[in-house]
Amino acid sequence: MNGGEKILNRIKSDCDKNVEAILAKAEAECGDILSQAELKAEAAVKSVNDKTDAKIAQIKKSSQSRAELEIRNRILKQRRIEIDKTIDETLNYLLNLPDEEYFLFIYRLAGTLNENEGVIFLNNKDLGRLPGDFIQKINESGINAQLSDKAVDIIGGFILKRGDIEENMAFDALIMSKRDALEDMINRELFK
């Protein structure tokens, strides 16, 4: 081996060592970059998962709230239907009482207007089925009244007029004026 070959072998050997050192350094840097990239990727995945979990929890909570509200609204609607039905049935019951019981109820209503006087107005149906002692029984209930031969447009009950003052004792008007109290009573009875 001559001097030139030795120099070339040495240069080649030095180059190989430098290349190995550069490759080793590059591999180490690549490893660090990959490790950091993996850490960042894991952090990004965790962040996305956390956000997704939070969004899912929010959607579940919102859905549950909407479902509970819908259930409550349906229950309230059904209660309203049942209350209206009960009130309608009560009114129909009163209107369909046998004549004797119907007028006994009228006398009891008149008794709630103690010490009043005036003119009693009835509907056509009631004027046509009046008992002979109607005014006597009304007067016995505490009202000094006369009976009008003119019919009024009510479905049942009566109206007592005293000058400009009217006491509306029509069944539907009484029910409407006491609706809140009736609803409370019906709620207690039907929805215990």
Side-chain angles (χ1 to χ4, degrees):
M1 226 184 180
N2 68 23
E5 285 180 359
K6 282 184 181 180
I7 292 176
L8 282 177
N9 279 339
R10 186 173 224 188
I11 291 173
K12 183 179 184 256
S13 172
D14 287 345
C15 277
D16 287 343
K17 285 180 185 176
N18 282 338
V19 167
E20 283 179 21
I22 290 171
L23 285 175
K25 185 177 177 184
E27 284 180 12
E29 286 178 3
C30 282
D32 288 345
I33 290 171
L34 282 175
S35 293
Q36 289 175 6
E38 285 176 359
L39 290 175
K40 285 181 182 179
E42 287 174 10
V45 167
K46 184 177 181 334
S47 174
V48 168
N49 285 341
D50 290 347
K51 287 178 183 176
T52 302
D53 290 345
K55 188 68 173 174
I56 289 170
Q58 179 187 11
I59 290 169
K60 281 183 181 178
K61 187 176 179 180
S62 176
S63 296
Q64 184 175 358
S65 293
R66 281 194 309 272
E68 288 170 358
L69 178 64
E70 180 65 25
I71 289 169
R72 193 178 91 235
N73 285 342
R74 286 184 184 192
I75 289 170
L76 289 175
K77 182 179 179 183
Q78 189 60 40
R79 278 187 176 187
R80 173 68 51 206
I81 289 169
E82 293 302 321
I83 288 170
D84 289 344
K85 183 174 148 187
T86 303
I87 287 173
D88 288 345
E89 287 175 5
T90 301
L91 183 58
N92 285 333
Y93 170 79
L94 291 172
L95 294 173
N96 293 309
L97 284 171
D99 290 353
E100 186 178 326
E101 290 179 42
Y102 179 87
F103 284 104
L104 283 174
F105 190 75
I106 295 286
Y107 305 142
R108 274 186 257 148
L109 276 179
T112 65
L113 300 174
N114 275 345
E115 301 176 15
N116 278 312
E117 59 181 33
V119 179
I120 288 188
F121 291 85
L122 299 169
N123 65 22
N124 272 330
K125 178 181 176 185
D126 292 347
L127 284 173
R129 63 181 178 157
L130 274 180
D133 58 352
F134 178 76
I135 286 298
Q136 178 188 341
K137 296 274 189 185
I138 287 290
N139 290 331
E140 288 173 5
S141 70
I143 296 178
N144 182 15
Q146 298 174 358
L147 179 64
S148 172
D149 58 350
K150 293 183 181 177
V152 289
D153 188 19
I154 58 174
I155 59 173
F158 64 92
I159 293 176
L160 176 68
K161 276 191 172 185
R162 294 176 289 147
D164 292 340
I165 299 172
E166 282 188 8
E167 294 284 346
N168 191 347
M169 304 302 280
F171 296 156
D172 56 342
L174 291 171
I175 288 173
M176 287 302 122
S177 72
K178 305 288 184 192
R179 185 171 178 98
D180 289 342
L182 288 169
E183 284 182 14
D184 290 343
M185 181 186 72
I186 291 168
N187 272 322
R188 281 192 306 274
E189 293 301 316
L190 292 179
F191 309 112
K192 291 179 181 176

